[in-house]
C-alpha cells in the first residue's frame, strides 16, 4: 500500500490525501479533523494505518457478521468475477441471483417468496414503499400512499426513505421531503410516559394502539404501510415489548395496511435468526434487508415481498417500474450465498442465541456507574443509555452531547482500543454490535474498556 504521494508537488501522507480528496459519510470535515484510517481486519479485530489494533464492537456498521478476513468469501468473489462479473436483472437473470433468491425465501416466514434485489438497505426501503403504493393502485385502492414509522427511527437517506426516517435533524437540510410520512411513538420503555412506565405489557399495547390511532386520524383509505424495525436502532436499541408485534399485525390486517419489517440491521443473526421477525413471532408483508446478507464482503440488499403482493404483477404485462443497476449483482450474490454457507456450517445463529444472555449480563454490570441509565437490546445488538442524573433519568443537553459524546467518548473509546458508536440521534447512547463469532473473552474485553472510559466520562459531568 502506497502511503505517500504528492499533492500539488508536496509529499503527502495517506491522511493528508484523505483530507484533500475524501468526502466522508455523516462526517465532519475541516478544523483539523482527520479520519482514522482502517487498513486491515481479522476476526473481531481491526488495525489502523499506524499498526494499532482495535476490537470491532460494531461489526463495521452492523455488517460483518462472520468477522473480518474470511479468505473463502474473497475467493468466491474472484471466481464469480472471472465467470461473469456483471449482468443486470432488468428482464434477465443470473444463476447466483436465482439461487440466492430461493435461499432467502427458504428462511422467511409465511409466503414471503419474492425477492427484489438492491445495492443496500436504503434502496430496499425505497423499493418497499414504492411497491406498496403501486400495489394498492393495481388492486383499486389508489388513495393508499402514506407510510407510518416510529419516532427517532432510521430507515435510510434517499428522498423516499428519508420521509420514513423519524429523525428531524436528518430531514431539515433536505426539506421538503417526499410527502406522506407519519410518526408514532417508539418502544423505549426506559422513557415510557406515565402511567405506562411501570408495566411493559401495557406500554406495548399503548405503543401499538397509537398506530391504529394514526391510521384512523389520517383515514385508512390513505395509509399504505407501517415500517418497523424488530429492534429499533436509532435512539439506542429499543426491543419490542411483549405482544407488541402481535397487536401491530392485528391492526394492519384490520385496516388493510402492509406491515414492513425493516431488518437491514436485525436480519442474518444479529438477534439470533436469519430474520428477526421469526425471533419475535410475527409475519410481515415485506422484509427489507442488507448489511449482514454478505457480511459486507460485497454490497447487496433486498426487499422480500409476499406472493400476495406479487400477484398483480404476474399477468404478463404489468411492470414494477423500479430497479437498480447493481441490484442482485452476480459477484455480490455469490458472496452472499457463501456467507450464508458459513452461517449454517458454523451454526452462528445458535451461537448468538447461546451467548446472548452472557453478553447482556456482562454489559449490565455497567449499571452501577452513575452515568449509565439503561442497558437494553437483544441478541448481539445493545445500547447503553447515558444520563446526567440517574434518579431523574436526566439526559444530555446540546453542550454536554458535544463535549462528552463527540469531544470525549468517541475519541477516548477509540484510543482505548474499541470501535463502537457514541450517538445522540435520540437520547445519548453507546451502541454495540460485535461480530457474531464473538464470545465471552470478547465481551469481557469490551466491558473492561467501556467501564474505564465511561467512569472517566462520568467524572467530567
Amino acid at each position: 500500500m502506497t502511503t505517500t504521494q504528492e499533492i500539488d508537488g508536496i509529499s503527502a501522507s495517506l491522511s493528508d490525501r484523505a483530507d484533500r480528496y475524501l468526502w466522508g459519510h455523516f462526517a465532519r470535515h475541516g478544523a483539523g479533523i482527520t479520519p482514522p484510517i482502517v487498513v486491515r481486519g481479522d476476526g473481531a479485530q481491526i488495525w489502523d494505518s499506524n499498526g494499532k489494533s482495535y476490537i470491532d464492537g460494531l461489526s463495521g456498521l452492523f455488517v460483518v457478521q462472520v468477522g473480518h478476513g474470511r479468505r473463502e468469501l474473497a475467493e468466491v468473489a474472484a471466481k464469480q468475477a472471472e465467470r461473469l462479473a456483471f449482468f443486470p436483472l432488468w428482464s434477465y437473470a443470473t444463476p447466483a441471483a436465482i439461487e440466492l433468491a430461493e435461499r432467502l425465501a427458504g428462511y422467511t416466514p409465511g409466503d414471503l417468496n419474492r425477492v427484489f434485489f438492491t445495492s443496500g438497505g436504503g434502496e430496499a426501503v425505497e423499493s418497499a414503499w414504492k411497491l406498496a403504493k403501486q400495489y394498492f393502485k393495481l388492486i383499486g385502492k389508489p388513495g393508499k400512499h402514506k407510510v407510518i414509522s416510529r419516532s427517532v427511527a432510521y430507515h435510510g437517506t434517499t428522498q423516499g426513505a428519508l420521509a420514513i426516517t423519524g429523525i428531524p435533524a436528518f430531514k431539515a437540510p433536505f426539506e421538503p421531503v417526499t410527502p406522506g410520512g407519519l410518526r408514532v411513538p417508539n418502544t423505549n420503555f426506559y422513557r415510557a410516559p406515565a402511567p405506562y412506565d411501570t408495566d411493559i405489557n401495557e406500554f406495548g399495547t399503548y405503543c401499538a394502539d397509537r398506530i391504529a390511532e394514526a391510521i384512523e386520524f389520517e383515514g385508512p383509505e390513505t395509509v399504505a404501510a407501517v415500517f418497523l424495525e424488530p429492534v429499533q436502532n436509532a435512539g439506542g436499541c429499543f426491543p419490542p415489548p411483549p405482544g407488541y408485534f402481535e397487536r401491530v399485525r392485528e391492526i394492519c390486517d384490520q385496516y388493510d395496511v402492509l406491515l414492513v419489517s425493516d431488518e437491514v440491521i436485525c436480519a442474518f443473526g444479529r438477534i439470533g435468526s436469519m430474520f428477526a421477525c421469526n425471533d419475535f413471532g410475527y409475519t410481515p408483508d415485506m422484509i427489507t434487508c442488507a448489511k449482514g446478507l454478505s457480511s459486507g464482503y460485497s454490497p447487496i440488499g433486498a426487499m422480500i415481498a409476499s406472493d400476495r403482493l406479487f400477484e398483480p404483477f404476474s399477468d404478463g404485462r404489468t411492470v414494477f417500474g423500479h430497479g437498480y443497476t447493481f441490484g442482485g449483482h452476480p459477484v455480490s450474490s455469490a458472496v452472499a450465498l457463501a456467507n450464508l454457507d458459513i452461517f449454517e456450517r458454523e451454526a452462528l445463529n445458535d451461537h448468538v442465541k447461546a451467548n446472548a444472555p452472557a453478553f447482556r449480563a456482562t454489559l449490565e454490570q455497567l449499571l452501577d456507574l452513575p452515568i449509565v441509565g439503561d442497558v437494553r437490546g437483544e441478541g448481539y445488538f445493545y445500547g447503553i443509555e447515558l444520563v446526567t442524573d440517574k434518579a431523574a433519568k436526566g439526559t444530555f443537553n446540546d453542550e454536554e452531547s458535544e463535549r462528552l459524546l463527540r469531544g470525549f467518548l468517541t475519541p477516548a473509546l477509540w484510543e482505548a482500543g474499541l470501535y463502537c458508536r457514541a450517538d445522540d440521534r435520540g437520547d445519548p447512547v453507546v451502541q454495540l454490535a460485535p461480530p457474531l463469532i464473538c464470545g465471552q473473552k470478547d465481551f469481557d474485553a469490551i466491558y473492561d474498556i467501556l467501564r474505564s472510559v465511561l467512569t472517566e466520562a462520568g467524572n467530567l459531568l
Side-chain angles (χ1 to χ4, degrees):
M1 178 183 63
T2 303
T3 59
T4 59
Q5 289 184 3
E6 289 191 351
I7 296 177
D8 300 327
I10 300 172
S11 179
S13 68
L14 202 58
S15 292
D16 294 331
R17 289 152 58 198
D19 288 344
R20 176 64 181 86
Y21 298 114
L22 189 63
W23 197 330
H25 297 209
F26 289 100
R28 295 183 176 191
H29 296 85
I33 297 171
T34 296
I37 300 169
V38 178
V39 299
R40 184 167 68 90
D42 183 34
Q45 297 285 319
I46 54 174
W47 282 261
D48 68 15
S49 55
N50 297 314
K52 182 179 177 181
S53 68
Y54 306 82
I55 302 168
D56 183 354
L58 205 63
S59 300
L61 194 63
F62 316 104
V63 171
V64 191
Q65 317 292 64
V66 301
H68 297 275
R70 293 276 190 162
R71 181 183 295 272
E72 66 186 276
L73 297 183
E75 290 174 345
V76 164
K79 185 177 180 180
Q80 176 61 48
E82 288 179 356
R83 183 185 304 115
L84 179 67
F86 173 74
F87 208 78
L89 298 184
W90 298 44
S91 299
Y92 297 86
T94 64
I98 295 167
E99 186 177 347
L100 181 58
E102 181 181 26
R103 187 84 164 265
L104 291 175
Y107 297 136
T108 58
D111 69 339
L112 278 82
N113 296 313
R114 291 292 179 165
V115 182
F116 185 94
F117 285 114
T118 68
S119 305
E123 291 180 358
V125 170
E126 193 89 6
S127 302
W129 192 7
K130 289 181 72 175
L131 175 59
K133 289 181 178 181
Q134 188 176 358
Y135 168 77
F136 281 117
K137 286 179 171 61
L138 290 174
I139 66 168
K141 298 182 178 182
K144 293 176 80 71
H145 68 283
K146 296 174 185 175
V147 60
I148 293 171
S149 61
R150 294 183 292 204
S151 172
V152 195
Y154 177 86
H155 294 282
T157 55
T158 58
Q159 281 294 120
L162 188 61
I164 304 174
T165 289
I167 306 172
F170 281 15
K171 299 170 182 288
F174 310 107
E175 290 177 333
V177 298
T178 305
L182 311 168
R183 229 63 60 215
V184 294
N186 59 48
T187 59
N188 183 2
F189 184 58
Y190 181 66
R191 296 197 175 276
Y196 308 104
D197 54 346
T198 59
D199 188 323
I200 195 168
N201 294 283
E202 289 188 6
F203 176 62
T205 301
Y206 161 79
C207 291
D209 285 348
R210 300 290 73 72
I211 295 173
E213 184 178 79
I215 294 170
E216 286 282 2
F217 182 81
E218 295 294 325
E221 71 281 1
T222 72
V223 180
V226 176
F227 280 70
L228 303 174
E229 294 170 280
V231 178
Q232 182 174 318
N233 169 39
C237 303
F238 306 147
Y244 174 79
F245 274 109
E246 180 180 4
R247 176 65 182 131
V248 171
R249 181 70 269 180
E250 292 175 352
I251 291 166
C252 289
D253 290 341
Q254 177 183 351
Y255 294 105
D256 193 17
V257 170
L258 304 179
L259 174 56
V260 182
S261 189
D262 183 357
E263 306 205 14
V264 171
I265 288 176
C266 291
F268 310 112
R270 182 54 54 192
I271 308 302
S273 296
M274 285 301 188
F275 292 107
C277 55
N278 289 323
D279 289 304
F280 297 116
Y282 66 96
T283 300
D285 300 290
M286 285 184 268
I287 295 172
T288 56
C289 60
K291 293 187 183 289
L293 175 53
S294 70
S295 284
Y297 282 74
S298 193
I300 191 167
M303 179 269 289
I304 308 173
S306 68
D307 288 336
R308 175 173 69 96
L309 299 186
F310 181 78
E311 195 277 331
F313 297 90
S314 189
D315 61 0
R317 300 183 62 179
T318 303
V319 172
F320 181 36
H322 179 65
Y324 301 101
T325 298
F326 295 117
H329 191 286
V331 173
S332 295
S333 296
V335 171
L337 284 164
N339 178 62
L340 296 175
D341 287 343
I342 292 173
F343 262 85
E344 295 184 357
R345 185 175 69 242
E346 299 184 8
L348 287 183
N349 285 322
D350 290 341
H351 178 80
V352 170
K353 289 175 181 175
N355 286 276
F359 187 38
R360 178 191 293 271
T362 302
L363 294 178
E364 285 180 343
Q365 294 177 70
L366 297 168
L367 284 167
D368 68 333
L369 295 177
I371 196 173
V372 175
D374 193 28
V375 173
R376 56 179 176 259
E378 295 287 343
Y380 275 28
F381 187 34
Y382 269 82
I384 301 167
E385 184 166 335
L386 308 180
V387 293
T388 58
D389 182 320
K390 203 156 190 167
K393 300 183 181 180
T395 193
F396 291 7
N397 58 34
D398 290 344
E399 185 276 330
E400 288 163 336
S401 282
E402 187 67 29
R403 177 170 57 87
L404 283 173
L405 277 181
R406 284 175 282 277
F408 174 75
L409 271 174
T410 296
L413 288 165
W414 179 256
E415 287 300 316
L418 175 62
Y419 165 66
C420 58
R421 170 186 270 179
D423 185 42
D424 65 344
R425 287 176 293 176
D427 294 300
V429 295
V430 174
Q431 280 188 288
L432 297 155
L436 308 188
I437 58 173
C438 288
Q440 189 62 54
K441 181 179 178 181
D442 305 288
F443 305 156
D444 289 341
I446 290 170
Y447 167 80
D448 287 342
I449 293 173
L450 285 171
R451 185 165 198 90
S452 174
V453 174
L454 289 176
T455 296
E456 189 173 352
N459 293 334
L460 296 174
L461 280 173

